[in-house]
Amino acid sequence: MTHDVAHRRWRDALAVYLQAPVITMLFLGFAAGLPFLLVFSTLTAWLRDAGVDVAAIGFFSWIGILYSIKIAWAPVVDRVALPGVGRWFGQRRSWMLCAQLTIAAGLLGLATLSPPAHLILIAGLALLVAFGAATQDIVIDAYRIESAEESVQAAMASTYIIGYRGGLLAAGAGALYIADAVSWHAAYACMAALVGVGVITTLVRPEPQRSTLGIQLASEPRVRAFLYQHRHAPRRRRRFGAWVIGAIVCPFTDFFARHGRTALWFLLFIGLYRISDLAMAAMANPLYIDLGFSLSEIANVTKVFGIAMSILGGVAGGLLVVRFGLGRMLVVGALATALTNLMFVALANAGHSFPMLVMTIMGDNLANGLASTVFIAFLSSLTSRAYTATQYALFSSLMTLPGKFLGGFSGLVVDGFGYTGFFTVSAALGVPAVLLALWLARTQR
């Protein structure tokens, strides 16, 4: 009898992965992961393969800053319906479709260009793709939360991560394979076609049920106070003021009200935690190419094998948080991220060594997967469910902004000090994150 009950519990637990909202996130995760590498490491591989100088390639990492400033337009996406199409598809799906079509248009445009002849135009279209991708991320986060009850959110997050890794695999290894076998133009055209996965998913799935904007605003004490104080003001002014307070002011005041002065330390920690990893990422593919590795070798090791190691690191991170607690694992993640950058120093000194390439990618991706999982758990613990979309957009934006900004100068550092000096500096950038993680671990005891 006990065996039957246990079997039924396992069966019920696994059945959640057959629910439509959970399966939906597998495809939306793929749609979210697809464009990321196409404006980052895959793009830098294309540019270096075409002979573009590493100093110019380094500045392309600034394109990723659009992901880091999405908080600037997250409240608009979260609270404003698109005119026309919003009535046909609903607010969430209309924004999602608009973002996906923007991504596809940008990728098709890139497929028609050739660096270095069109370097400025390539940068412009890459910015367009990044803007569409960052907007899509905002909408998918909100769509996931609103599509099902809280008991299903963990399963939805799990399938989203699997789908996201699939998108990274297609945009990384897939694009490199196509570029090696056919051309870079064909690779980006194929990636544009794969955007259809997200478009089809958005079209076939329903708009989530959610409260109207009026009901959402009426639940905010600050909004009610504003409306009462300005009850004699023109209606349009009252509505706009209520929207600004509810969509922009309240998510920030809530965070500082809950955490007090510690909130500033949390924000500093968020900005520094991944700085070591993000600052060096733009120079990884140029290093592989300059060491003489072929595009197929890079695809096999850094994308296929690397993503497998990243998933393994993520699973390990989740288990270790349960076993040892979040504070301790934040320290481990920060330390592992900084130290594995030194493996790139060893690779640069070893030259064209395939075993060293495998070891470097293994260490880097295991550390990346572990640190990412632990850090997402930390960010989720800081987020209020009442303002999930805007607060999480704030945290994820701040998480990537410093590293992306410094990454823009990475090519200049390589030109001046070589790859060995650059990756040594990038490892040193992780020291403040380790120190802050140690402080945070002590405060959480």
Side-chain angles (χ1 to χ4, degrees), residues 71 74-75 78-79 247-248 251-252 387-395:
I71 184 61
D78 196 24
R79 302 281 183 131
I248 301 176
F252 294 94
Y387 312 101
T388 306
T390 303
Q391 286 187 354
Y392 200 88
L394 166 66
F395 298 150

Side-chain angles (χ1 to χ4, degrees), residues 254-335:
D254 167 80
F255 176 68
F256 283 95
R258 285 186 294 114
H259 299 291
R261 293 182 180 180
T262 309
L264 293 175
W265 289 104
F266 283 153
L267 294 177
L268 179 63
F269 180 62
I270 291 170
L272 293 177
Y273 192 76
R274 298 296 304 279
I275 192 171
S276 175
D277 183 49
L278 293 172
M280 56 74 67
M283 288 297 109
N285 274 336
L287 169 66
Y288 307 145
I289 292 173
D290 286 349
L291 291 178
F293 294 104
S294 69
L295 293 180
S296 293
E297 286 177 324
I298 296 171
N300 288 332
V301 180
T302 68
K303 307 306 178 185
V304 179
F305 177 71
I307 286 179
M309 290 298 99
S310 180
I311 293 173
L312 180 60
V315 172
L319 294 174
L320 291 171
V321 167
V322 175
R323 176 64 181 83
F324 297 105
L326 184 58
R328 290 181 181 179
M329 293 317 301
L330 282 171
V331 177
V332 173
L335 193 60

